[in-house]
Amino acid sequence: MGRHAPDRFAAIHVGSEQIGIQIVEYTNMDDVKIIEQSYRQVMLGEETFKTGRISFGAVSEICELLKGYRRLLGEYGVRDYRLVATTAIREAQNQPYIIDQIKVKTGLTVEVVDMPQEIFYKYVSLVKTVNDRGLLNSQDGMLFVDISSGGLGFTLYKDGNLRYQQNMHIGALRIKESFDKNQRDSAHFQQALSEYIGSTIEPVETEMSQHNVKRLVLSGPETKLLLKMLGKESGRINFVSLSEFNNLYKQISSLNLPQLITTYQLTENKAEIVLPTIVLYKKIVSLTGPEEIVVLSDQFADGVIIKHISEKTSHAHQKLIESQIISLCWEISKKYYYDPTHAAAVETWSMLLFDKLARIYGLSERHRQLLKVAAILHDIGKHVNLRRHYFYSYRLIISSDILGFSKAERHVIANIAYYHSKGVPSDADANFAYLTPNQKVAVSKLSAIIRLADAIDRSHRQKVSQAEVALRGDELIITVTSREDMSLEGWNFADKAGFFEDVFGIKAILIRRAG
């Protein structure tokens, strides 16, 4: 059998500083060719940070550009595309009108991603780049720092797991816009800037002091600037020694704006971003003390493309990212609550039940991920209060950035945790009323499953050594092996089975087999 024809996919990104398209052709992850790409510099971020909106003129310009991209999609016969907007449109007060105008004028549908998602897409690409270079297998910590115009993401990778992840609304352009022209021209600007950045990233400092970070991996639009000033080519991956970096920092610190422009041949715009960027990098270098700095040129669109292709072709990279996300969820749960063995038991039994029911009841692989994360985090509210802990679990999950999940998905995970022990999902609860009809059905099914799983380990003593699940007619029979008395679990299970029967239309029965 011959190789099948390659597939095509396009990623279009409306960013704060540039709008671009990449069209690729691929048969698998190791065979991806860029067949067309085009980028245009824009100043949307500046406008949003200053005025809170994007002007009519700018929107028309975006639409003209996108019409051109639309024609490209037609010429290349690309049906599979994603048009994603980040900071500038995300934060514009007139966002709904912008999206509507783009739809009406170009026929393209815009997806607006929140900051944690934006950082996540970048991470998907960055991990692949360092992994392809064989840099992922070292025991020492590797801190990924992605700086976009409006956001900053710290992701710590160590011993094959993600140990820490923190995103902030602080970026090179946003920092610049936090100070007016007079303040930026002041002789005290650098000191003030350094203190401002220091106080903002303080919580990260506490975390980093517990880890040995060997490599600092920098990415984001401003890294091009850094490489240019170091006199390096901006290849896919560049290594910068600490002495090179420190010398550059000293040099920049001694120059004023006109001198920066002439010394490094920068536009005034770029020169104004240099100081905030380099001071931010300096702070990060001093709080991690790495042995070397790695600069990657991966862009947001690369992440969108890699994620798409790895999912379409079921490439190992997808599994790698998924396992890292799950390792991060365990780190989050450790922060709050102390019974990981119960969470692990609930995760195990949830997955067992899910896998039996998924195909027949229209549950997807993504639903499985949401349930898994909910199982790991369902009890973290006990950290705040043992009464109504499900409510506090809900609040903590809603307010955590869980890498790889959109805000909408976080709401689903949080609702599963909310209903993991009792209560019937209903629109009388604001948390449930907030969901879309599809999400409501998913939450009901997944909380019905997690309830049974939680009941099987009601005593938190892991009495069950193994379980088998069988679907016979309208009964789901769960046979558990245990050496101990299962009365508590049995009563609890019977109590929870009613809700399960309502949702799935089948009876759940627990049978104990003596181990």
Side-chain angles (χ1 to χ4, degrees), residues 170-204:
I170 169 177
L173 193 59
R174 200 193 297 272
I175 296 171
K176 186 198 125 183
E177 293 303 325
S178 307
F179 298 91
D180 65 32
K181 188 91 180 84
N182 289 341
Q183 292 169 332
R184 291 201 300 266
D185 289 342
S186 146
H188 304 287
F189 178 52
Q190 191 177 344
Q191 179 61 28
L193 184 64
S194 189
E195 290 172 10
Y196 170 77
I197 290 171
S199 64
T200 311
I201 64 176
E202 208 169 5
V204 181

mmCIF file of all heavy atoms in Angstrom, residues 170-204:
data_model
loop_
_atom_site.group_PDB
_atom_site.id
_atom_site.type_symbol
_atom_site.label_atom_id
_atom_site.label_comp_id
_atom_site.label_asym_id
_atom_site.label_seq_id
_atom_site.Cartn_x
_atom_site.Cartn_y
_atom_site.Cartn_z
ATOM 1 N N ILE A 170 1.796 39.871 33.199
ATOM 2 C CA ILE A 170 2.874 40.848 33.151
ATOM 3 C C ILE A 170 3.702 40.460 31.933
ATOM 4 O O ILE A 170 4.110 39.316 31.791
ATOM 5 C CB ILE A 170 3.698 40.830 34.457
ATOM 6 C CG1 ILE A 170 4.983 41.657 34.329
ATOM 7 C CG2 ILE A 170 4.047 39.419 34.872
ATOM 8 C CD1 ILE A 170 5.786 41.718 35.626
ATOM 9 N N GLY A 171 3.856 41.370 30.991
ATOM 10 C CA GLY A 171 4.619 41.050 29.785
ATOM 11 C C GLY A 171 5.403 42.279 29.398
ATOM 12 O O GLY A 171 5.221 43.349 29.983
ATOM 13 N N ALA A 172 6.290 42.140 28.414
ATOM 14 C CA ALA A 172 7.182 43.244 28.061
ATOM 15 C C ALA A 172 6.403 44.511 27.703
ATOM 16 O O ALA A 172 6.673 45.598 28.219
ATOM 17 C CB ALA A 172 8.073 42.813 26.908
ATOM 18 N N LEU A 173 5.417 44.364 26.829
ATOM 19 C CA LEU A 173 4.666 45.523 26.371
ATOM 20 C C LEU A 173 3.798 46.082 27.496
ATOM 21 O O LEU A 173 3.676 47.284 27.694
ATOM 22 C CB LEU A 173 3.778 45.100 25.190
ATOM 23 C CG LEU A 173 3.126 46.193 24.366
ATOM 24 C CD1 LEU A 173 4.188 47.106 23.778
ATOM 25 C CD2 LEU A 173 2.306 45.583 23.232
ATOM 26 N N ARG A 174 3.204 45.170 28.265
ATOM 27 C CA ARG A 174 2.332 45.613 29.353
ATOM 28 C C ARG A 174 3.140 46.365 30.426
ATOM 29 O O ARG A 174 2.676 47.337 31.009
ATOM 30 C CB ARG A 174 1.626 44.412 29.983
ATOM 31 C CG ARG A 174 0.383 44.803 30.757
ATOM 32 C CD ARG A 174 -0.103 43.669 31.614
ATOM 33 N NE ARG A 174 -0.522 42.495 30.898
ATOM 34 C CZ ARG A 174 -1.744 42.292 30.429
ATOM 35 N NH1 ARG A 174 -2.662 43.212 30.573
ATOM 36 N NH2 ARG A 174 -2.054 41.170 29.814
ATOM 37 N N ILE A 175 4.368 45.898 30.688
ATOM 38 C CA ILE A 175 5.209 46.588 31.672
ATOM 39 C C ILE A 175 5.511 47.994 31.168
ATOM 40 O O ILE A 175 5.395 48.975 31.889
ATOM 41 C CB ILE A 175 6.542 45.833 31.902
ATOM 42 C CG1 ILE A 175 6.283 44.461 32.518
ATOM 43 C CG2 ILE A 175 7.458 46.634 32.820
ATOM 44 C CD1 ILE A 175 7.508 43.554 32.573
ATOM 45 N N LYS A 176 5.875 48.048 29.885
ATOM 46 C CA LYS A 176 6.211 49.349 29.292
ATOM 47 C C LYS A 176 5.034 50.313 29.445
ATOM 48 O O LYS A 176 5.191 51.473 29.827
ATOM 49 C CB LYS A 176 6.557 49.168 27.812
ATOM 50 C CG LYS A 176 7.051 50.426 27.143
ATOM 51 C CD LYS A 176 6.966 50.331 25.632
ATOM 52 C CE LYS A 176 6.160 51.514 25.134
ATOM 53 N NZ LYS A 176 5.958 51.486 23.690
ATOM 54 N N GLU A 177 3.818 49.809 29.164
ATOM 55 C CA GLU A 177 2.629 50.664 29.225
ATOM 56 C C GLU A 177 2.231 51.019 30.659
ATOM 57 O O GLU A 177 1.367 51.856 30.874
ATOM 58 C CB GLU A 177 1.442 49.993 28.510
ATOM 59 C CG GLU A 177 1.623 49.850 27.002
ATOM 60 C CD GLU A 177 1.883 51.187 26.292
ATOM 61 O OE1 GLU A 177 1.328 52.220 26.711
ATOM 62 O OE2 GLU A 177 2.656 51.188 25.317
ATOM 63 N N SER A 178 2.854 50.368 31.658
ATOM 64 C CA SER A 178 2.529 50.683 33.057
ATOM 65 C C SER A 178 3.202 51.986 33.500
ATOM 66 O O SER A 178 2.909 52.506 34.566
ATOM 67 C CB SER A 178 2.994 49.569 33.989
ATOM 68 O OG SER A 178 2.490 48.347 33.550
ATOM 69 N N PHE A 179 4.166 52.453 32.700
ATOM 70 C CA PHE A 179 4.885 53.684 33.031
ATOM 71 C C PHE A 179 4.678 54.683 31.898
ATOM 72 O O PHE A 179 4.688 54.294 30.732
ATOM 73 C CB PHE A 179 6.389 53.400 33.177
ATOM 74 C CG PHE A 179 6.726 52.445 34.291
ATOM 75 C CD1 PHE A 179 6.806 51.070 34.054
ATOM 76 C CD2 PHE A 179 6.957 52.904 35.581
ATOM 77 C CE1 PHE A 179 7.110 50.180 35.081
ATOM 78 C CE2 PHE A 179 7.266 52.019 36.616
ATOM 79 C CZ PHE A 179 7.340 50.661 36.371
ATOM 80 N N ASP A 180 4.504 55.952 32.253
ATOM 81 C CA ASP A 180 4.334 56.916 31.150
ATOM 82 C C ASP A 180 5.690 57.375 30.624
ATOM 83 O O ASP A 180 6.740 57.034 31.164
ATOM 84 C CB ASP A 180 3.439 58.098 31.573
ATOM 85 C CG ASP A 180 4.064 58.933 32.678
ATOM 86 O OD1 ASP A 180 5.309 59.042 32.709
ATOM 87 O OD2 ASP A 180 3.309 59.470 33.518
ATOM 88 N N LYS A 181 5.642 58.184 29.571
ATOM 89 C CA LYS A 181 6.863 58.597 28.874
ATOM 90 C C LYS A 181 7.852 59.264 29.842
ATOM 91 O O LYS A 181 9.035 58.942 29.838
ATOM 92 C CB LYS A 181 6.468 59.553 27.730
ATOM 93 C CG LYS A 181 7.595 59.925 26.792
ATOM 94 C CD LYS A 181 7.674 58.964 25.603
ATOM 95 C CE LYS A 181 8.799 59.336 24.656
ATOM 96 N NZ LYS A 181 10.106 58.806 25.079
ATOM 97 N N ASN A 182 7.354 60.178 30.681
ATOM 98 C CA ASN A 182 8.253 60.883 31.614
ATOM 99 C C ASN A 182 8.926 59.936 32.588
ATOM 100 O O ASN A 182 10.109 60.059 32.886
ATOM 101 C CB ASN A 182 7.478 61.938 32.411
ATOM 102 C CG ASN A 182 7.083 63.112 31.537
ATOM 103 O OD1 ASN A 182 7.669 63.303 30.461
ATOM 104 N ND2 ASN A 182 6.093 63.872 31.974
ATOM 105 N N GLN A 183 8.140 58.987 33.077
ATOM 106 C CA GLN A 183 8.703 58.017 34.019
ATOM 107 C C GLN A 183 9.771 57.176 33.341
ATOM 108 O O GLN A 183 10.815 56.877 33.913
ATOM 109 C CB GLN A 183 7.587 57.125 34.572
ATOM 110 C CG GLN A 183 6.618 57.874 35.466
ATOM 111 C CD GLN A 183 5.382 57.045 35.797
ATOM 112 O OE1 GLN A 183 4.974 56.169 35.021
ATOM 113 N NE2 GLN A 183 4.772 57.321 36.938
ATOM 114 N N ARG A 184 9.516 56.824 32.074
ATOM 115 C CA ARG A 184 10.481 55.975 31.355
ATOM 116 C C ARG A 184 11.770 56.733 31.051
ATOM 117 O O ARG A 184 12.823 56.147 30.897
ATOM 118 C CB ARG A 184 9.867 55.429 30.064
ATOM 119 C CG ARG A 184 8.769 54.408 30.308
ATOM 120 C CD ARG A 184 8.528 53.516 29.106
ATOM 121 N NE ARG A 184 8.127 54.241 27.926
ATOM 122 C CZ ARG A 184 6.869 54.452 27.536
ATOM 123 N NH1 ARG A 184 5.876 53.976 28.269
ATOM 124 N NH2 ARG A 184 6.602 55.117 26.439
ATOM 125 N N ASP A 185 11.651 58.067 30.937
ATOM 126 C CA ASP A 185 12.843 58.859 30.632
ATOM 127 C C ASP A 185 13.625 59.242 31.890
ATOM 128 O O ASP A 185 14.716 59.792 31.808
ATOM 129 C CB ASP A 185 12.448 60.140 29.867
ATOM 130 C CG ASP A 185 12.005 59.816 28.441
ATOM 131 O OD1 ASP A 185 12.341 58.703 27.973
ATOM 132 O OD2 ASP A 185 11.322 60.638 27.808
ATOM 133 N N SER A 186 13.036 58.945 33.047
ATOM 134 C CA SER A 186 13.669 59.354 34.296
ATOM 135 C C SER A 186 14.922 58.527 34.575
ATOM 136 O O SER A 186 15.027 57.362 34.184
ATOM 137 C CB SER A 186 12.670 59.180 35.437
ATOM 138 O OG SER A 186 13.334 58.810 36.622
ATOM 139 N N ALA A 187 15.861 59.143 35.288
ATOM 140 C CA ALA A 187 17.115 58.450 35.636
ATOM 141 C C ALA A 187 16.847 57.303 36.618
ATOM 142 O O ALA A 187 17.641 56.390 36.755
ATOM 143 C CB ALA A 187 18.089 59.448 36.245
ATOM 144 N N HIS A 188 15.692 57.379 37.291
ATOM 145 C CA HIS A 188 15.381 56.348 38.284
ATOM 146 C C HIS A 188 14.577 55.194 37.689
ATOM 147 O O HIS A 188 14.175 54.294 38.405
ATOM 148 C CB HIS A 188 14.575 56.950 39.444
ATOM 149 C CG HIS A 188 15.260 58.110 40.083
ATOM 150 N ND1 HIS A 188 16.372 57.960 40.891
ATOM 151 C CD2 HIS A 188 15.013 59.448 40.005
ATOM 152 C CE1 HIS A 188 16.775 59.168 41.293
ATOM 153 N NE2 HIS A 188 15.972 60.070 40.773
ATOM 154 N N PHE A 189 14.331 55.275 36.378
ATOM 155 C CA PHE A 189 13.418 54.300 35.775
ATOM 156 C C PHE A 189 13.875 52.866 35.983
ATOM 157 O O PHE A 189 13.113 52.002 36.383
ATOM 158 C CB PHE A 189 13.230 54.584 34.276
ATOM 159 C CG PHE A 189 12.350 53.588 33.574
ATOM 160 C CD1 PHE A 189 11.078 53.285 34.062
ATOM 161 C CD2 PHE A 189 12.775 52.920 32.423
ATOM 162 C CE1 PHE A 189 10.252 52.358 33.429
ATOM 163 C CE2 PHE A 189 11.957 52.000 31.789
ATOM 164 C CZ PHE A 189 10.695 51.721 32.291
ATOM 165 N N GLN A 190 15.172 52.609 35.758
ATOM 166 C CA GLN A 190 15.619 51.216 35.839
ATOM 167 C C GLN A 190 15.455 50.634 37.239
ATOM 168 O O GLN A 190 15.037 49.488 37.406
ATOM 169 C CB GLN A 190 17.072 51.098 35.400
ATOM 170 C CG GLN A 190 17.423 49.630 35.239
ATOM 171 C CD GLN A 190 18.811 49.400 34.739
ATOM 172 O OE1 GLN A 190 19.448 50.314 34.222
ATOM 173 N NE2 GLN A 190 19.285 48.187 34.866
ATOM 174 N N GLN A 191 15.751 51.436 38.251
ATOM 175 C CA GLN A 191 15.602 50.977 39.630
ATOM 176 C C GLN A 191 14.132 50.673 39.930
ATOM 177 O O GLN A 191 13.788 49.619 40.472
ATOM 178 C CB GLN A 191 16.137 52.063 40.582
ATOM 179 C CG GLN A 191 16.010 51.724 42.069
ATOM 180 C CD GLN A 191 16.785 50.462 42.469
ATOM 181 O OE1 GLN A 191 17.787 50.114 41.849
ATOM 182 N NE2 GLN A 191 16.308 49.756 43.479
ATOM 183 N N ALA A 192 13.255 51.605 39.525
ATOM 184 C CA ALA A 192 11.813 51.437 39.774
ATOM 185 C C ALA A 192 11.296 50.206 39.039
ATOM 186 O O ALA A 192 10.515 49.415 39.574
ATOM 187 C CB ALA A 192 11.049 52.681 39.319
ATOM 188 N N LEU A 193 11.772 50.037 37.812
ATOM 189 C CA LEU A 193 11.353 48.913 36.971
ATOM 190 C C LEU A 193 11.754 47.593 37.629
ATOM 191 O O LEU A 193 10.970 46.642 37.712
ATOM 192 C CB LEU A 193 12.034 49.053 35.603
ATOM 193 C CG LEU A 193 11.690 48.049 34.517
ATOM 194 C CD1 LEU A 193 10.224 48.181 34.130
ATOM 195 C CD2 LEU A 193 12.553 48.280 33.282
ATOM 196 N N SER A 194 12.987 47.579 38.122
ATOM 197 C CA SER A 194 13.510 46.373 38.746
ATOM 198 C C SER A 194 12.690 46.001 39.989
ATOM 199 O O SER A 194 12.354 44.837 40.204
ATOM 200 C CB SER A 194 14.968 46.622 39.125
ATOM 201 O OG SER A 194 15.540 45.421 39.534
ATOM 202 N N GLU A 195 12.313 47.013 40.778
ATOM 203 C CA GLU A 195 11.519 46.754 41.983
ATOM 204 C C GLU A 195 10.104 46.300 41.624
ATOM 205 O O GLU A 195 9.532 45.419 42.267
ATOM 206 C CB GLU A 195 11.468 48.013 42.861
ATOM 207 C CG GLU A 195 12.810 48.326 43.512
ATOM 208 C CD GLU A 195 12.832 49.675 44.231
ATOM 209 O OE1 GLU A 195 11.749 50.289 44.393
ATOM 210 O OE2 GLU A 195 13.933 50.113 44.620
ATOM 211 N N TYR A 196 9.557 46.936 40.580
ATOM 212 C CA TYR A 196 8.200 46.609 40.133
ATOM 213 C C TYR A 196 8.123 45.142 39.698
ATOM 214 O O TYR A 196 7.257 44.375 40.106
ATOM 215 C CB TYR A 196 7.829 47.531 38.971
ATOM 216 C CG TYR A 196 6.550 47.180 38.241
ATOM 217 C CD1 TYR A 196 5.303 47.490 38.791
ATOM 218 C CD2 TYR A 196 6.583 46.568 36.987
ATOM 219 C CE1 TYR A 196 4.128 47.188 38.127
ATOM 220 C CE2 TYR A 196 5.407 46.259 36.309
ATOM 221 C CZ TYR A 196 4.182 46.570 36.879
ATOM 222 O OH TYR A 196 3.020 46.261 36.211
ATOM 223 N N ILE A 197 9.107 44.741 38.895
ATOM 224 C CA ILE A 197 9.132 43.359 38.403
ATOM 225 C C ILE A 197 9.405 42.390 39.563
ATOM 226 O O ILE A 197 8.763 41.358 39.698
ATOM 227 C CB ILE A 197 10.187 43.197 37.277
ATOM 228 C CG1 ILE A 197 9.715 43.943 36.028
ATOM 229 C CG2 ILE A 197 10.434 41.733 36.961
ATOM 230 C CD1 ILE A 197 10.752 44.056 34.925
ATOM 231 N N GLY A 198 10.346 42.786 40.431
ATOM 232 C CA GLY A 198 10.699 41.941 41.573
ATOM 233 C C GLY A 198 9.504 41.626 42.451
ATOM 234 O O GLY A 198 9.270 40.476 42.831
ATOM 235 N N SER A 199 8.700 42.668 42.753
ATOM 236 C CA SER A 199 7.557 42.452 43.646
ATOM 237 C C SER A 199 6.490 41.596 42.965
ATOM 238 O O SER A 199 5.773 40.853 43.613
ATOM 239 C CB SER A 199 6.953 43.792 44.069
ATOM 240 O OG SER A 199 6.422 44.454 42.932
ATOM 241 N N THR A 200 6.394 41.708 41.631
ATOM 242 C CA THR A 200 5.367 40.955 40.912
ATOM 243 C C THR A 200 5.679 39.468 40.871
ATOM 244 O O THR A 200 4.785 38.632 40.990
ATOM 245 C CB THR A 200 5.227 41.489 39.466
ATOM 246 O OG1 THR A 200 5.116 42.902 39.511
ATOM 247 C CG2 THR A 200 3.998 40.917 38.792
ATOM 248 N N ILE A 201 6.964 39.144 40.682
ATOM 249 C CA ILE A 201 7.270 37.711 40.530
ATOM 250 C C ILE A 201 7.757 37.065 41.828
ATOM 251 O O ILE A 201 8.237 35.935 41.833
ATOM 252 C CB ILE A 201 8.258 37.429 39.364
ATOM 253 C CG1 ILE A 201 9.625 38.070 39.613
ATOM 254 C CG2 ILE A 201 7.689 37.893 38.033
ATOM 255 C CD1 ILE A 201 10.639 37.716 38.529
ATOM 256 N N GLU A 202 7.559 37.778 42.939
ATOM 257 C CA GLU A 202 7.994 37.279 44.252
ATOM 258 C C GLU A 202 7.560 35.838 44.577
ATOM 259 O O GLU A 202 8.377 35.034 45.025
ATOM 260 C CB GLU A 202 7.466 38.225 45.332
ATOM 261 C CG GLU A 202 8.324 38.259 46.555
ATOM 262 C CD GLU A 202 7.897 39.410 47.468
ATOM 263 O OE1 GLU A 202 6.888 40.086 47.184
ATOM 264 O OE2 GLU A 202 8.585 39.606 48.466
ATOM 265 N N PRO A 203 6.259 35.481 44.364
ATOM 266 C CA PRO A 203 5.842 34.118 44.717
ATOM 267 C C PRO A 203 6.640 33.043 43.977
ATOM 268 O O PRO A 203 6.885 31.961 44.508
ATOM 269 C CB PRO A 203 4.378 34.058 44.278
ATOM 270 C CG PRO A 203 3.942 35.478 44.144
ATOM 271 C CD PRO A 203 5.153 36.278 43.824
ATOM 272 N N VAL A 204 7.074 33.358 42.761
ATOM 273 C CA VAL A 204 7.826 32.382 41.973
ATOM 274 C C VAL A 204 9.189 32.158 42.618
ATOM 275 O O VAL A 204 9.719 31.055 42.635
ATOM 276 C CB VAL A 204 8.001 32.875 40.512
ATOM 277 C CG1 VAL A 204 8.755 31.848 39.691
ATOM 278 C CG2 VAL A 204 6.640 33.154 39.895
#
